[in-house]
Amino acid sequence: MKKTLITLSVFASLLFIGCKETKTTEERPQTTEQTTDSQEVSDLSIYNLPSTWTTQDGKDIELKDLQGNVLVMVMIYTSCKAACPRLVADMRNIEERVKGKNLDKVKYVLVSIDPTVDTPERLKEFAKENKMDGEQWVFLRSTEENTREFAATLAVNYKKISPIDFSHSNIISVFNTRGELDYQQEGLGIDYAPTVTEIERQLSLIK
């Protein structure tokens, strides 16, 4: 599985991969020990984004409200019948496999690319249907503009191909506690052991 260094500044140049299944892993250099208190936010942090998001519980938050947690993120839409159910299953499988210290400091975040359909009520229902209603699970929706902006930072491309369907990238991303992209793995139903290992490593760095 090929690993390459990435930065947020090159995301816009990444190719659109649609829903095809691939196996690509991208990783940042290893970081030093982290602390969740008074962390400085770098220019590469998603916590610089000013957008407001609504959770499955109807609470409005900014991404910086998640600071101090290791974030495992994927973009989906709840009416998807093809790739998304597998991505959701992959997220659930990753969550079940992560062991070790600071498990309360990891959030599994699913961001909707279809905010019109995916209301907070729908996201709440979807979370329950998929047994993802614990505190570690966060579902987010926002405006179309905010969603597009955030997708660009994750190198996720998506396009509406019918009134109810989207073609989209299949990428699961790991962010460190400062909101910097640390690791990505791309594909559907693949071996996410490297992602699990990286999440555990990031959690081990928290004091």
Side-chain angles (χ1 to χ4, degrees), residues 6 8 11 25-28 34 46-47 69-74 91 94 98 105-109 153-154 171-185 192-203:
I6 58 173
L8 295 178
F11 281 168
T25 304
E26 301 184 351
E27 185 177 16
R28 280 189 169 278
Q34 303 171 15
I46 59 172
Y47 300 142
N69 294 291
V70 175
L71 306 180
V72 186
M73 308 189 82
V74 69
M91 286 285 282
I94 290 170
V98 172
K105 291 296 184 180
V106 57
K107 297 293 184 184
Y108 300 87
V109 185
T153 70
L154 269 66
I171 301 174
I172 293 178
S173 305
V174 179
F175 287 81
N176 65 26
T177 57
R178 296 182 299 276
E180 299 160 348
L181 182 63
D182 174 69
Y183 192 86
Q184 287 188 308
Q185 198 164 353
Y192 277 99
T195 296
V196 171
T197 298
E198 185 56 26
I199 295 168
E200 292 175 344
R201 189 185 75 82
Q202 286 296 325
L203 290 174

Side-chain angles (χ1 to χ4, degrees), residues 63-78:
L63 293 175
K64 64 183 179 182
D65 294 327
L66 299 173
Q67 188 171 0
N69 294 291
V70 175
L71 306 180
V72 186
M73 308 189 82
V74 69
M75 299 191 78
I76 64 162
Y77 64 107
T78 64

Side-chain angles (χ1 to χ4, degrees), residues 9-178:
S9 61
V10 301
F11 281 168
S13 65
L14 296 180
L15 296 178
F16 174 58
I17 61 170
C19 286
K20 66 181 182 180
E21 298 180 25
T22 58
K23 297 184 179 181
T24 302
T25 304
E26 301 184 351
E27 185 177 16
R28 280 189 169 278
Q30 294 193 355
T31 56
T32 57
E33 190 169 14
Q34 303 171 15
T35 175
T36 59
D37 298 327
S38 302
Q39 293 185 357
E40 293 185 3
V41 174
S42 74
D43 292 340
L44 298 179
S45 176
I46 59 172
Y47 300 142
N48 292 307
L49 296 174
S51 50
T52 298
W53 299 78
T54 305
T55 72
Q56 72 269 37
D57 295 317
K59 180 181 178 181
D60 290 338
I61 67 170
E62 294 182 13
L63 293 175
K64 64 183 179 182
D65 294 327
L66 299 173
Q67 188 171 0
N69 294 291
V70 175
L71 306 180
V72 186
M73 308 189 82
V74 69
M75 299 191 78
I76 64 162
Y77 64 107
T78 64
S79 59
C80 176
K81 304 300 183 185
C84 295
R86 296 184 67 179
L87 284 171
V88 169
D90 288 341
M91 286 285 282
R92 193 165 50 236
N93 179 260
I94 290 170
E95 188 269 341
E96 291 172 352
R97 293 170 63 183
V98 172
K99 307 297 181 184
K101 59 186 294 189
N102 297 315
L103 293 181
D104 61 328
K105 291 296 184 180
V106 57
K107 297 293 184 184
Y108 300 87
V109 185
L110 295 91
V111 181
S112 173
I113 62 174
D114 188 13
T116 300
V117 171
D118 290 337
T119 62
E121 293 79 13
R122 173 56 190 146
L123 293 176
K124 185 79 169 181
E125 180 184 10
F126 185 83
K128 290 182 178 180
E129 289 172 353
N130 287 278
K131 299 180 180 179
M132 304 167 85
D133 50 354
E135 292 185 359
Q136 70 272 38
W137 297 102
V138 180
F139 288 77
L140 297 177
R141 67 173 296 279
S142 189
T143 64
E144 177 65 26
E145 180 181 3
N146 289 340
T147 304
R148 287 284 179 190
E149 179 183 44
F150 186 65
T153 70
L154 269 66
V156 170
N157 292 279
Y158 66 94
K159 180 180 180 180
K160 197 164 191 175
I161 56 176
S162 80
I164 61 172
D165 287 320
F166 291 79
S167 177
H168 60 89
S169 307
N170 307 305
I171 301 174
I172 293 178
S173 305
V174 179
F175 287 81
N176 65 26
T177 57
R178 296 182 299 276

